[in-house]
Amino acid sequence: MSAPVWLLLRGLTRDGRHWGDVPQRLAKALPPGAQVVCIDLPGNGALHHLRSASSVAGLVAQARAQVAERGLAGRPVHLLAMSLGAMVAAAWAAAHPDEIAGAVLVNTSLRPFSPFWQRLRPRAWAPLLDCLWPGTSAEGWERCILGLTSQLAAHQPEAPALLRQWTDWRRSHPVSRANALRQLLAAMRYRAPHRAPPVPLLLLNGAADGLVHPACSQAVARAWNLPLAVHPDAGHDLPLDDPDWVVAQVVAWRAGVR
């Protein structure tokens, strides 16, 4: 049997670099032979020059095309995905369950299980509008995102260096406001099926998420009868706030569903 592949998908305007060292940590923790691959959605990261899809179905098609281009099709694919990336993972597993061996969904929110004011908390509306406003600097954008998505790492001594790194990434691989809006539109329009995709699924959630209300993960867990692991202190960017916890949850869950 072919060695399994873990595909890592980030969310709105983020790319594979924003996983930090989670890919390396996960690769070390998984059984020998497992491959960990980060892919960028078009419009982000290495693909920042391409047009983002404005629907989750379109983002799924773009992600599947990358799998084929990398020669990974036909191998057991597991997904670790957060936020918008987790919507893509859920839609992918629902539409093509034969391609997905399992998925871990981090701090996501899904219609019809949660109202819009939980899926994007009102406290985040004004900062996000400021980010998208013409003239916002790369540093201003990244400072806003760090403040909205982190409850732990943002307050560590390393935070200024992290902010400089993110700013450099945005300057070298700028995400256009048009692509950011298309991704936001895709997230807003996506409607998940009432029944869970027929593949093993795990939900991870940060109880201190300031961007997406933690009740959204709870609602998905109830609707789809899924296991949910909650970090008591982490924010929206769980892999940033506590990468060890994320990796430990993924590995323990995967060992239990084999």
Side-chain angles (χ1 to χ4, degrees):
M1 183 177 179
S2 300
V5 178
W6 280 83
L7 289 183
L8 276 53
L9 285 169
R10 289 285 302 201
L12 185 74
T13 77
R14 305 282 92 177
D15 62 65
R17 297 169 298 181
H18 293 94
W19 284 107
D21 64 356
V22 167
Q24 292 78 18
R25 293 174 187 244
L26 183 60
K28 289 181 179 179
L30 290 171
Q35 184 177 358
V36 178
V37 178
C38 297
I39 61 174
D40 296 340
L41 296 175
N44 300 342
L47 305 180
H48 70 277
H49 57 288
L50 300 179
R51 181 186 177 95
S52 295
S54 58
S55 70
V56 166
L59 294 173
V60 170
Q62 292 173 333
R64 293 178 70 222
Q66 289 193 60
V67 168
E69 290 168 2
R70 292 171 181 245
L72 302 175
R75 293 174 60 180
V77 173
H78 303 76
L79 300 173
L80 172 58
M82 64 170 290
S83 199
L84 173 59
M87 296 182 200
V88 174
W92 191 347
H96 306 282
D98 56 310
E99 297 178 359
I100 304 300
V104 179
L105 312 180
V106 183
N107 279 338
T108 196
S109 64
L110 301 176
R111 278 198 314 156
F113 308 129
S114 300
F116 74 89
W117 62 86
Q118 289 184 344
R119 298 184 62 217
L120 183 61
R121 303 185 79 164
R123 69 178 73 170
W125 295 353
L128 282 177
L129 285 175
D130 286 343
C131 285
L132 293 169
W133 196 258
T136 302
S137 68
E139 181 179 359
W141 182 299
E142 294 303 328
R143 187 181 302 278
C144 171
I145 296 301
L146 182 61
L148 284 174
T149 60
S150 174
Q151 294 293 337
L152 300 177
H155 305 290
Q156 296 300 313
E158 299 81 9
L162 177 67
L163 180 60
R164 288 193 297 271
Q165 185 179 55
W166 283 8
T167 301
D168 288 344
W169 289 347
R170 179 164 292 277
R171 287 172 176 156
S172 64
H173 295 77
V175 179
S176 71
R177 284 174 176 78
N179 273 337
L181 287 170
R182 289 187 191 100
Q183 293 171 36
L184 185 59
L185 179 62
M188 293 172 61
R189 293 168 58 186
Y190 177 60
R191 187 177 183 88
H194 284 279
R195 290 188 177 182
V199 304
L201 298 171
L202 170 68
L203 295 168
L204 300 183
N205 174 240
D209 190 337
L211 188 66
V212 175
H213 199 290
C216 293
S217 289
Q218 297 166 10
V220 176
R222 287 193 301 269
W224 284 356
N225 191 29
L226 300 180
L228 167 64
V230 179
H231 190 296
D233 305 309
H236 187 70
D237 198 338
L238 241 175
L240 172 66
D241 276 351
D242 197 339
D244 286 330
W245 186 87
V246 170
V247 170
Q249 295 297 324
V250 170
V251 171
W253 168 76
R254 193 60 206 158
V257 298
R258 290 180 64 85

